[in-house]
């Protein structure tokens, strides 16, 4: 019984330590952007997305500069406003433009930290590379388009066959009168 008690206590301590480690990882596993849009902390895994070093991002470029023109318009007219009004946004699709000009689709989730007066301090953002997801979505859209085209062709052929069948039935009926 004493051994079980010791093992149980060690297990609880191990679980507690793992929870604390996970919380610490979650706290650091996001990009931090100041209220003015400048990066304060960038997770290392996000730097290949834009093709620049972490040091070039922190304090240097505003987040909106890293977006394509369409994504920048959406960010400024919707994303930032929703973040300000609701304090968070979830899984918003944006396109980042790398320094070499290539575009990377991403999903962004953000939470805004505020001071006691409600003024924004920082935005904590998690950026997910959505290249594979976007490719899959395009495949689904193409498959849907092909299915709709096939359905339209089937309807056209069915209509022609119905007309042809009606003509044959009429001819058969006419031939039946002569017999």
């Amino acid at each position: 019984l004493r051994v079980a008690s010791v093992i149980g206590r060690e297990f609880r301590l191990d679980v507690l330590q793992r929870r604390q480690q996970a919380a610490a990882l979650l706290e650091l596993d996001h990009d931090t952007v100041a209220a003015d849009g400048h990066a304060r902390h960038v997770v290392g895994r996000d730097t290949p997305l834009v093709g620049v070093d972490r040091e070039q991002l922190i304090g240097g470029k505003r987040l909106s500069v890293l977006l394509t023109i369409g994504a920048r318009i959406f960010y400024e007219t919707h994303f930032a406003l929703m973040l300000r009004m609701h304090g968070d946004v979830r899984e918003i699709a944006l396109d980042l433009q790398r320094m070499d000009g290539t575009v990377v689709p991403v999903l962004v989730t953000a939470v805004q930290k505020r001071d006691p007066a409600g003024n924004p301090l920082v935005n904590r953002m998690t950026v997910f590379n959505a290249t594979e997801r976007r490719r899959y979505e395009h495949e689904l859209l193409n498959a849907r388009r092909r299915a709709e085209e096939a359905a339209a062709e089937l309807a056209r052929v069915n209509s022609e066959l119905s007309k042809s069948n009606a003509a044959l039935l009429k001819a058969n009926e006419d031939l039946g009168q002569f017999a």
Side-chain angles (χ1 to χ4, degrees):
L1 189 61
R2 183 162 168 70
V3 171
S5 175
V6 169
I7 291 173
R9 192 172 334 129
E10 288 178 7
F11 177 76
R12 283 191 303 274
L13 286 174
D14 187 47
V15 169
L16 180 62
Q17 287 172 342
R18 288 178 189 255
R19 282 185 184 164
Q20 289 170 343
Q21 290 170 348
L25 285 174
L26 288 174
E27 186 67 24
L28 294 176
D29 197 23
H30 59 267
D31 300 328
T32 303
V33 178
D36 66 359
H38 288 89
R40 285 192 182 168
H41 170 76
V42 178
V43 177
R45 67 173 161 66
D46 288 342
T47 56
L49 285 176
V50 291
V52 296
D53 294 327
R54 171 191 249 150
E55 292 75 28
Q56 290 176 301
L57 288 175
I58 296 175
K61 296 186 180 291
R62 293 173 59 101
L63 173 65
S64 60
V65 173
L66 302 173
L67 300 172
T68 61
I69 293 171
R72 188 177 309 149
I73 291 169
F74 181 83
Y75 177 83
E76 292 171 357
T77 60
H78 291 77
F79 186 99
L81 294 175
M82 288 188 301
L83 188 58
R84 179 71 175 124
M85 286 174 31
H86 302 291
D88 68 342
V89 291
R90 307 236 180 257
E91 297 179 10
I92 302 295
L94 297 172
D95 290 324
L96 290 178
Q97 187 161 2
R98 288 186 173 143
M99 293 299 119
D100 65 5
T102 58
V103 175
V104 181
V106 295
L107 288 177
V108 180
T109 296
V111 175
Q112 191 170 71
K113 296 265 307 185
R114 298 178 182 177
D115 65 15
N119 299 315
L121 296 173
V122 295
N123 300 319
R124 291 190 173 149
M125 298 182 175
T126 304
V127 180
F128 298 99
N129 186 337
T131 302
E132 291 301 317
R133 178 184 171 138
R134 185 78 55 92
R135 186 175 298 134
Y136 177 68
E137 288 171 352
H138 283 294
E139 287 175 14
L140 286 176
L141 290 172
N142 287 334
R144 181 180 186 177
R145 182 187 45 78
R146 288 191 305 270
E148 289 170 350
E149 289 172 355
E153 177 65 13
L154 185 62
R156 186 189 63 76
V157 169
N158 193 27
S159 174
E160 286 180 18
L161 287 174
S162 293
K163 289 177 190 175
S164 179
N165 192 30
L168 288 173
L169 287 172
K170 174 82 168 120
N172 194 23
E173 187 179 299
D174 291 342
L175 287 174
Q177 290 177 356
F178 292 112

